[in-house]
Amino acid sequence: MREDAAGKSTAKQTDAERYDALIIGAGFTGLYQLYSLRDRLGLNAQVLEAADGVGGTWYWNRYPGARCDSESHSYCYYFSKELVTEWEWSERYPGQEEIRHYLNHVADRFDLRKDIRLGDRVISARFDDAETLWHVTTEAGRQYEAQFLITGVGCLSSANVPDIPGLDDFKGDWYHTGSWPHEGVDFTGKRVGQIGTGSTGIQSAPVIAEAAKHLTVFQRTANYSIPARNGPLSEDFKRYTKEHSDEIHETMLAGPNGHPFRIEDRPVASVTPDEQREIYEAAWEKGGLRFRSVFKDLLTSKPANDTAAAFIKTKIRAVVKDPETAALLSTIDHPFATKRPPVDSHYFETFNRDNVSLVDIKTNPITRITPTGIETTAGHHDLDIIVFATGFDAISGPLLAMDIRGKNGVTLKEQWAEGPKTYLGLQVAGFPNLFTVTGPGSPSVLTNMPVAIEQHVDWITDCIDTLLKNGKSRIETTPEAAEEWVGETTAAANATLLPQANSSWYLGANVPGKPRVFMPYAGGMAHYRKRCNDVAADGYKGFVLS
Ligand code: N01
């Protein structure tokens, strides 16, 4: 354990386990943060994880069809060349089980498990100003202390189960996709109702439909989706990604979203309508999130966006045979990609099956759940199983789920009563030595997550190293820096069409009572990385080191 600035241990004799740093969560963030603090800085670091295994999001989200929308050769760590070279992905998009295997491999490969405590859910963290120490308590009643506290709790880990009257009386089984039973769910012969048509629902519906007797999809907001075109990776492609890993990584770092493709430097209006259609057609065939990258102004110009939206709506209507269902699926109330754009494997085709029906709960809302199914204002649907693909209390939710108290006992809930306020998404004023990896105000969910995570972990690791090497014990942002950054985050969002999606979880609009604030930083990952580096180079401008 490192000693404090004065070279003495200031620990009081308590029952608490004492560390230099505590890390909450053993997903992509926790594993890399542990490796960085322990193996690079030589600190005594400990990960506390609620689940019984590593993997974070990929531990919990075991719903049918769970798969990442980022391409596998980019949805991984790049901090270790050996790791990039030795791991082999099997499909264009990695499935949940494969990602979980990957993260378990990382835990073993870097000998991380010995410093990860599983099944130990953090419920509270309190900062002791006099001692510059975080006191952390877990559900099991264990006490920990550490100079630094780093949250790696993910942006999409607090399940949002809507408060629909009658759920307790439902005689069948119900599940939220974000905490799916490990043994799976047998849908054979069952009448299944799925609420939600976001990325998750769009992935799960086709798979559930194959097994269930009948699937009823309850749709509140129709969604765009691009075919994923998933499939096994060829040996040539696998070799290519290993041999060109540096170039691929450079591309990921250079772009606004951390994906392994460039955004074309042409506006929609620079080509004729016929050329636009050809370009969209080719992108549709290629599939995936790359669709967004064919023009540079799809997220900044409404007329440009309208061309992509019209193309996708036409595609939906061409796929779905029943005109009423096609109309419901293609009447979309927001510009393309202003909600996180899903990619799918035969989602729209699923509605051509005899055992699948679509229910419009925007026009006829759900009134209650009955012992035997779901009632809407238009009638009752008999069900054996309800699947809630209803998303998450995103970004700020997992942080607020813990009782975090900073200086003078101020809670994070109080501090964020009007919405989250951070400096660079990394720190909250009044909460010294607390770092929030991919917290609100950082690019996080607008990027390919491992890229955002590696950047934050590297920055935090360098910051702690600098602090300790300079004999300092704490770093804390100022309320002024946080206010300014909130302004910049809002301005960055307003420079795009993103705030035009009223029901987006980016805005917190999916959770009743949550302040409507656009949470992720939309100014682009590459720009953001430069900002963070400049701040560090400028003596950690906006932070106070003491
Ligand atoms: O959640 P969502 P998700 N009554 O919030 C509906 C990531 N992800 O789990 O739009 C009725 O997007 C809601 O309707 P509306 C990805 O970032 C990643 O699908 O609010 N319906 C919507 O249709 C994604 O964006 C991968 O009107 C209700 C749906 O439920 C994020 O996770 C794969 C309702 C929720 O959609 C979240 O996606 C999958 C209610 N009370 C997901 N409440 C990867 O590839 C909500 N809905 C990594």
Side-chain angles (χ1 to χ4, degrees):
M1 185 184 287
R2 278 200 187 181
E3 293 174 323
D4 75 349
K8 305 176 286 202
S9 167
T10 55
K12 275 188 193 162
Q13 291 306 308
T14 67
D15 290 338
E17 286 180 37
R18 176 76 180 265
Y19 296 94
D20 297 325
L22 284 167
I23 301 156
I24 309 176
F28 265 98
T29 294
L31 299 183
Y32 182 41
Q33 188 69 75
L34 171 61
Y35 169 79
S36 299
L37 292 180
R38 188 192 70 182
D39 295 7
R40 288 182 178 155
L41 301 193
L43 296 187
N44 185 14
Q46 173 75 31
V47 173
L48 303 175
E49 164 60 57
D52 289 329
V54 304
T57 287
W58 302 103
Y59 176 90
W60 297 105
N61 281 268
R62 301 179 189 224
Y63 61 86
R67 185 176 292 287
C68 185
D69 294 340
S70 295
E71 296 185 31
S72 51
H73 64 291
S74 67
Y75 196 74
C76 50
Y77 296 112
Y78 268 80
F79 71 84
S80 158
K81 185 97 173 170
E82 295 75 26
L83 179 61
V84 172
T85 313
E86 72 198 17
W87 182 263
E88 193 155 294
W89 296 105
S90 64
E91 293 177 281
R92 179 174 173 188
Y93 305 91
Q96 173 268 334
E97 196 52 25
E98 194 168 19
I99 304 172
R100 207 167 64 78
H101 281 149
Y102 170 74
L103 291 171
N104 274 281
H105 168 73
V106 170
D108 292 330
R109 167 111 183 33
F110 296 99
D111 196 18
L112 300 174
R113 289 188 198 278
K114 63 182 189 220
D115 296 308
I116 300 173
R117 185 152 301 158
L118 299 172
D120 210 13
R121 180 185 293 278
V122 171
I123 54 168
S124 69
R126 177 178 60 80
F127 183 70
D128 185 321
D129 206 7
E131 292 181 299
T132 305
L133 208 57
W134 279 95
H135 296 266
V136 170
T137 305
T138 65
E139 208 166 51
R142 289 202 187 89
Q143 310 281 328
Y144 299 87
E145 297 170 348
Q147 185 179 357
F148 300 102
L149 180 62
I150 298 145
T151 62
V153 290
C155 294
L156 297 159
S157 52
S158 275
N160 171 39
V161 178
D163 189 15
I164 303 173
L167 181 57
D168 287 346
D169 302 329
F170 183 57
K171 289 208 182 103
D173 296 319
W174 67 268
Y175 309 93
H176 186 279
T177 49
S179 47
W180 201 258
H182 290 197
E183 63 281 10
V185 175
D186 185 4
F187 293 106
T188 316
K190 305 287 188 190
R191 296 161 304 173
V192 182
Q194 176 185 298
I195 305 176
T197 54
S199 296
T200 300
I202 280 176
Q203 286 186 331
S204 59
V207 185
I208 295 175
E210 275 177 21
K213 181 175 173 199
H214 190 89
L215 171 67
T216 307
V217 176
F218 294 84
Q219 172 187 278
R220 189 164 68 179
T221 307
N223 220 335
Y224 301 94
S225 184
I226 310 293
R229 314 272 181 224
N230 187 35
L233 291 175
S234 69
E235 292 308 314
D236 279 353
F237 186 77
K238 288 181 196 171
R239 199 173 321 110
Y240 174 85
T241 55
K242 289 182 200 299
E243 286 173 4
H244 295 82
S245 63
D246 289 343
E247 277 165 68
I248 292 167
H249 193 212
E250 268 169 37
T251 305
M252 288 159 62
L253 296 182
N257 303 114
H259 285 291
F261 47 81
R262 292 184 198 285
I263 295 187
E264 297 289 341
D265 191 27
R266 62 182 170 207
V268 170
S270 67
V271 301
T272 67
D274 279 351
E275 286 167 333
Q276 283 167 24
R277 248 189 316 278
E278 264 174 46
I279 289 167
Y280 285 136
E281 199 66 58
W284 186 264
E285 283 312 308
K286 180 104 185 140
L289 294 172
R290 288 167 188 264
F291 188 89
R292 278 184 301 182
S293 68
V294 294
F295 294 110
K296 71 173 182 184
D297 53 348
L298 289 182
L299 261 188
T300 50
S301 154
K302 182 68 168 50
N305 191 290
D306 285 346
T307 64
F311 176 87
I312 299 168
K313 289 174 185 176
T314 305
K315 282 288 183 193
I316 297 171
R317 288 192 286 267
V319 169
V320 180
K321 292 187 181 131
D322 173 56
E324 211 178 304
T325 307
L328 275 179
L329 289 167
S330 62
T331 306
I332 306 175
D333 66 0
H334 51 280
F336 168 61
T338 53
K339 290 174 101 169
R340 158 72 152 68
V343 306
D344 70 275
S345 294
H346 316 298
Y347 174 66
F348 295 114
E349 290 84 346
T350 295
F351 293 95
N352 292 333
R353 297 176 65 112
D354 291 338
N355 69 333
V356 176
S357 46
L358 183 68
V359 172
D360 170 15
I361 53 169
K362 180 154 267 174
T363 315
N364 302 302
I366 293 173
T367 46
R368 66 186 179 118
I369 293 174
T370 69
T372 55
I374 292 181
E375 185 182 84
T376 73
T377 53
H380 188 270
H381 300 267
D382 291 338
L383 300 169
D384 304 307
I385 295 176
I386 300 175
V387 173
F388 288 95
T390 44
F392 302 89
D393 180 355
I395 308 179
S396 57
L399 294 165
L400 292 171
M402 299 176 287
D403 180 16
I404 302 181
R405 290 165 192 255
K407 289 199 304 197
N408 305 317
V410 173
T411 66
L412 193 60
K413 259 193 195 103
E414 288 160 349
Q415 185 87 344
W416 285 1
E418 295 161 5
K421 288 184 184 166
T422 70
Y423 181 41
L424 298 169
L426 279 161
Q427 268 217 338
V428 184
F431 294 72
N433 289 1
L434 170 70
F435 296 95
T436 50
V437 176
T438 64
S442 73
S444 64
V445 292
L446 298 178
T447 65
N448 177 27
M449 285 302 279
V451 174
I453 287 167
E454 283 194 331
Q455 184 264 338
H456 262 190
V457 168
D458 288 341
W459 192 94
I460 291 165
T461 305
D462 286 349
C463 172
I464 291 177
D465 195 32
T466 306
L467 208 64
L468 297 176
K469 277 183 178 148
N470 287 288
K472 310 275 187 198
S473 62
R474 76 161 77 173
I475 176 164
E476 177 184 0
T477 191
T478 64
E480 296 75 24
E483 279 300 337
E484 247 178 68
W485 185 249
V486 170
E488 268 195 60
T489 304
T490 306
N494 288 342
T496 72
L497 304 176
L498 287 164
Q500 292 191 20
N502 283 328
S503 62
S504 160
W505 56 261
Y506 293 153
L507 272 169
N510 62 329
V511 176
K514 191 166 173 172
R516 287 207 176 198
V517 175
F518 194 88
M519 291 180 282
Y521 175 71
M525 189 62 217
H527 176 71
Y528 172 80
R529 177 182 295 102
K530 185 173 179 319
R531 275 299 299 265
C532 292
N533 290 346
D534 289 349
V535 162
D538 204 0
Y540 290 92
K541 190 164 180 238
F543 294 95
V544 177
L545 280 58
S546 57

